[in-house]
Amino acid sequence: MKTLITTLNSKFIHTSLSLRLLYVASYKDFDIDFKEYTIKDSLEHIVSDILSMNIQILAFSCYIWNIEYIQKLCQMIKKQKPEMIIILGGPEVTYEPQYFLETTDIDYVISGEGEKVFPMLLKAIENHETVDIPGVSYHQHISSIIATVDLAYVESLDSPYNLQQDQKNMSKRILYFESSRGCPFQCQYCLSSLEQGLRFFSEDYLKKQLDIICHSGAKTIKFLDRSFNANAKHAIMILDYIFKNHQPGQQFQFEINADVLNQNIIDFIKMHAPEGLLRFEVGIQSTYEPTNQAVKRIQNFERLSEVVQQLMADGKCDLHLDLIAGLPYESFERFAKSFDDVFAFRAKELQLGFLKLLRGTSLRNDALEYGYQYQNEPPYEMIENHWLSQTDVMKIHMAEDMLEKYWNSGRFVRTMNAIMDHQSSAFDFFYQLACFYQQQHYKKIGYQLDELFMYLDSYLGTKYHDLLIQDYLCQFKVKPKRWYQPTLSPQQRKLVIRYLVDQYHLSQETLFRYALVEKLQQGYLVVIYKDYQCTMDIYK
């Protein structure tokens, strides 16, 4: 029976490792292929495309960002082709298979890892056998088992990282990689807390796969390991192989628990890591100890701070720090303190997320105890709890919007760092800026880049005007339109250029043809746009 494994990714650049693993586990014995769509694709187009393949079995990989789309697709497909057998799997359906069987027009749900279970189910369907497979639920039977797979079996399969279907767009998409499964921690808001144990792939297997990846043309490789540094020897082995075999332009991304990051790993990175090769995501979530205890997230913030500062000291690694708003016991004022504690590191990115009460997690099960109101539909984001009112949550959303626009975007580096040198609370700055946005009725979507600069300049007054000009002009590879009034008249510009040519022996032709010249308090700012390159200097 012809089978398609599919999913809806949030963006084209994302890829689904689970699809590829199920494919390599099945393609030798079944007529099967995989294909990915995105949540931005027309559902009608997806249905038409799937039906045009004349398949008999359709399997979806389900997550909080795509489950609503998949449920609609199942209804649309079953209406046009009732005999289509539809299978759901993935973290969103794993812990409540009965709910999805009752609410979605489907035939089977696979709970847990599918490399063995999925081919067994395909065989049973093809042979018209009674389905009695651990981890597989259907309308007449709900399995209480979450399937797991011996990683030695996964290692025996063909590589999911070098498939012919991926060759065309390998350099344009993120390649997801796993070196372990499971998580050593028990964070009550996370599905990983429901998994038993931590399992590692073998060193030989990992090196073979990493060799494939390093020579695949992939530029961005993201490890799916929940805590890459859980085993220091394992982590150093992988880092050592990457350092020795990576290709120019590649970046490897990892999720780490910084407060337990072994000093040997830090020293190894400092000694051997090429600049820009590594990006670490550090899930801090909260700096309030009662909150961390409530969600069983044991964290030594003092040690975490030392580790973050060490990793940032030489600029070799990009750091992405995470906070979660809406955790138990954290009021609006206390969350602002967590924000300020973490922002103080001045990491390249600070992602402010909002608690999502995921199906199966302990925090969702205890929602009444903490007074949680949350969205009934995915992504199940919290609306309020005993410590945060809906108004408080809205205020945090406002600050988060400004954080994204003016810090995480990386477009205002000079300006924002100068501003933050004089702020007692970074959170309050972003919130007050958001209030100013509302008062002025500024655009929150559909804006142009120059408008972002004008808005911030209007809020700040003249103090940071020169820095905003510098930040703006370095965003382009060709001369941009100014959002500010030119600081020199045409005649003054000619005189300044002659001065720069005489005093600093610059090329007159280059300055006249390719340069923007502005008069700042520090001196003359010269920005040259030539050969799609931007160079910036200040001359006294």
Side-chain angles (χ1 to χ4, degrees):
M1 299 175 75
K2 193 172 182 181
T3 301
L4 179 70
I5 320 168
T6 189
T7 193
L8 280 71
N9 297 321
S10 58
K11 296 178 181 178
F12 168 77
I13 61 169
H14 298 155
T15 56
S16 171
L17 178 58
S18 61
L19 265 58
R20 289 154 177 80
L21 285 165
L22 293 182
Y23 175 73
V24 298
S26 309
Y27 79 97
K28 291 181 179 178
D29 299 312
F30 301 94
D31 182 6
I32 193 166
D33 204 353
F34 70 91
K35 185 170 184 178
E36 293 166 294
Y37 302 95
T38 77
I39 58 175
K40 294 181 180 179
D41 291 335
S42 157
L43 297 186
E44 289 76 13
H45 165 75
I46 295 173
V47 169
S48 175
D49 192 49
I50 289 173
L51 293 178
S52 72
M53 299 178 196
N54 295 314
I55 59 172
Q56 288 79 50
I57 302 175
L58 176 62
F60 283 105
S61 184
C62 305
Y63 300 84
I64 56 170
W65 64 79
N66 67 18
I67 185 62
E68 290 186 284
Y69 300 96
I70 288 173
Q71 289 177 306
K72 292 175 183 176
L73 287 170
C74 291
Q75 182 183 19
M76 295 165 72
I77 290 169
K78 283 283 193 176
K79 187 173 183 178
Q80 295 191 49
K81 191 174 181 179
E83 69 274 19
M84 178 82 78
I85 297 171
I86 300 179
I87 305 167
L88 301 188
E92 174 61 13
V93 301
T94 283
Y95 298 99
E96 296 186 10
Q98 184 169 350
Y99 170 82
F100 287 98
L101 284 163
E102 291 174 350
T103 60
T104 312
D105 206 349
I106 58 172
D107 300 281
Y108 299 95
V109 172
I110 294 178
S111 297
E113 299 170 0
E115 288 92 346
K116 277 198 168 182
V117 173
F118 182 64
M120 291 169 65
L121 178 57
L122 294 183
K123 182 179 179 183
I125 293 171
E126 287 197 357
N127 294 337
H128 304 286
E129 299 171 351
T130 299
V131 175
D132 185 16
I133 304 169
V136 176
S137 298
Y138 48 98
H139 291 283
Q140 294 78 32
H141 170 72
I142 304 300
S143 175
S144 61
I145 294 173
I146 309 298
T148 58
V149 180
D150 186 338
L151 297 189
Y153 175 74
V154 180
E155 293 182 8
S156 73
L157 303 173
D158 289 344
S159 173
Y161 306 110
N162 191 34
L163 298 174
Q164 187 62 40
Q165 296 96 316
D166 290 325
Q167 299 305 309
K168 180 180 177 182
N169 294 310
M170 188 71 81
S171 65
K172 302 172 187 174
R173 308 182 74 187
I174 299 171
L175 188 152
Y176 291 90
F177 183 82
E178 58 177 352
S179 77
S180 66
R181 291 185 183 180
C183 183
F185 303 102
Q186 297 295 313
C187 305
Q188 299 298 283
Y189 49 79
C190 181
L191 287 175
S192 297
S193 66
L194 304 176
E195 299 182 27
Q196 299 298 314
L198 179 60
R199 299 165 289 154
F200 296 93
F201 287 93
S202 70
E203 179 175 342
D204 182 60
Y205 173 79
L206 289 173
K207 287 183 175 179
K208 287 179 181 176
Q209 303 311 308
L210 287 169
D211 186 66
I212 289 172
I213 288 170
C214 286
H215 297 91
S216 67
K219 297 300 183 184
T220 303
I221 300 93
K222 184 174 176 61
F223 276 62
L224 293 171
D225 302 41
R226 277 67 159 208
S227 182
F228 174 68
N229 58 296
N231 182 307
K233 182 180 177 182
H234 174 86
I236 289 174
M237 177 271 293
I238 290 174
L239 291 172
D240 181 57
Y241 196 87
I242 290 171
F243 294 167
K244 292 175 179 175
N245 295 277
H246 74 278
Q247 299 300 304
Q250 287 186 324
Q251 186 182 65
F252 290 79
Q253 303 179 358
F254 307 88
E255 183 174 338
I256 63 171
N257 288 81
D259 63 318
V260 292
L261 185 64
N262 190 289
Q263 189 63 42
N264 290 335
I265 299 177
I266 299 172
D267 295 340
F268 188 78
I269 290 170
K270 283 181 169 292
M271 188 174 298
H272 301 290
E275 186 172 343
L277 181 66
L278 304 179
R279 179 179 185 268
F280 291 123
E281 181 175 331
V282 183
I284 300 174
Q285 319 313 8
S286 173
T287 66
Y288 190 42
E289 193 55 30
T291 292
N292 287 328
Q293 290 177 6
V295 297
K296 297 185 180 179
R297 185 176 180 82
I298 309 304
Q299 184 168 261
N300 181 338
F301 187 67
E302 184 178 347
R303 173 57 182 163
L304 184 149
S305 300
E306 293 173 0
V307 169
V308 169
Q309 288 164 359
Q310 287 189 67
L311 290 174
M312 292 182 64
D314 53 14
K316 281 189 172 183
C317 309
D318 287 341
L319 255 62
H320 172 124
L321 309 183
D322 287 342
L323 275 177
I324 297 178
L327 293 172
Y329 301 111
E330 197 157 53
S331 65
F332 179 80
E333 292 76 19
R334 191 54 191 75
F335 176 77
K337 175 68 165 60
S338 284
F339 184 99
D340 289 341
D341 289 341
V342 175
F343 190 88
F345 296 123
R346 305 277 184 98
K348 192 172 183 179
E349 290 181 64
L350 195 172
Q351 180 174 328
L352 197 174
F354 291 80
L355 178 67
K356 296 168 179 59
L357 289 108
L358 305 178
R359 291 184 180 277
T361 59
S362 296
L363 205 53
R364 182 177 173 124
N365 295 336
D366 297 335
L368 286 177
E369 177 185 343
Y370 296 118
Y372 278 111
Q373 296 291 325
Y374 59 91
Q375 297 168 344
N376 292 327
E377 305 300 329
Y380 315 116
E381 188 169 294
M382 68 89 63
I383 298 170
E384 64 179 4
N385 63 17
H386 286 326
W387 301 273
L388 287 177
S389 67
Q390 292 187 37
T391 300
D392 292 332
V393 174
M394 180 193 70
K395 290 178 178 178
I396 297 173
H397 272 288
M398 290 168 61
E400 186 262 346
D401 184 36
M402 296 299 102
L403 174 73
E404 287 296 317
K405 286 179 169 68
Y406 290 105
W407 185 266
N408 290 342
S409 68
R411 293 167 171 163
F412 300 82
V413 175
R414 297 171 182 82
T415 308
M416 291 306 303
N417 275 292
I419 291 169
M420 291 305 165
D421 286 342
H422 300 92
Q423 298 297 316
S424 59
S425 169
F427 180 86
D428 187 61
F429 171 83
F430 288 117
Y431 174 63
Q432 294 301 331
L433 176 59
C435 291
F436 180 76
Y437 251 69
Q438 283 195 343
Q439 294 164 6
Q440 301 298 318
H441 304 291
Y442 288 157
K443 299 177 188 175
K444 293 184 179 178
I445 58 173
Y447 50 80
Q448 298 297 316
L449 180 59
D450 60 338
E451 292 177 303
L452 279 185
F453 280 84
M454 285 190 287
Y455 297 162
L456 186 57
D457 188 59
S458 179
Y459 179 67
L460 296 172
T462 60
K463 185 175 180 180
Y464 300 97
H465 186 71
D466 286 2
L467 291 175
L468 279 168
I469 290 175
Q470 293 176 61
D471 279 329
Y472 178 74
L473 295 180
C474 72
Q475 302 298 315
F476 303 90
K477 294 182 179 179
V478 296
K479 284 184 185 180
K481 67 173 184 178
R482 295 179 174 94
W483 56 268
Y484 56 90
Q485 289 297 316
T487 58
L488 296 169
S489 67
Q491 185 59 36
Q492 289 172 325
R493 180 176 182 269
K494 291 178 182 178
L495 293 174
V496 170
I497 287 177
R498 287 171 187 160
Y499 165 77
L500 294 171
V501 170
D502 293 340
Q503 190 72 19
Y504 296 98
H505 308 293
L506 303 182
S507 166
Q508 180 171 295
E509 180 186 5
T510 298
L511 292 177
F512 274 112
R513 291 185 62 184
Y514 303 107
L516 279 177
V517 183
E518 304 292 350
K519 184 180 181 181
L520 308 181
Q521 291 183 358
Q522 292 175 269
Y524 295 112
L525 176 68
V526 177
V527 190
I528 297 173
Y529 302 95
K530 186 178 181 182
D531 300 328
Y532 291 97
Q533 299 291 323
C534 170
T535 59
M536 178 181 292
D537 289 291
I538 294 179
Y539 299 91
K540 302 297 184 182

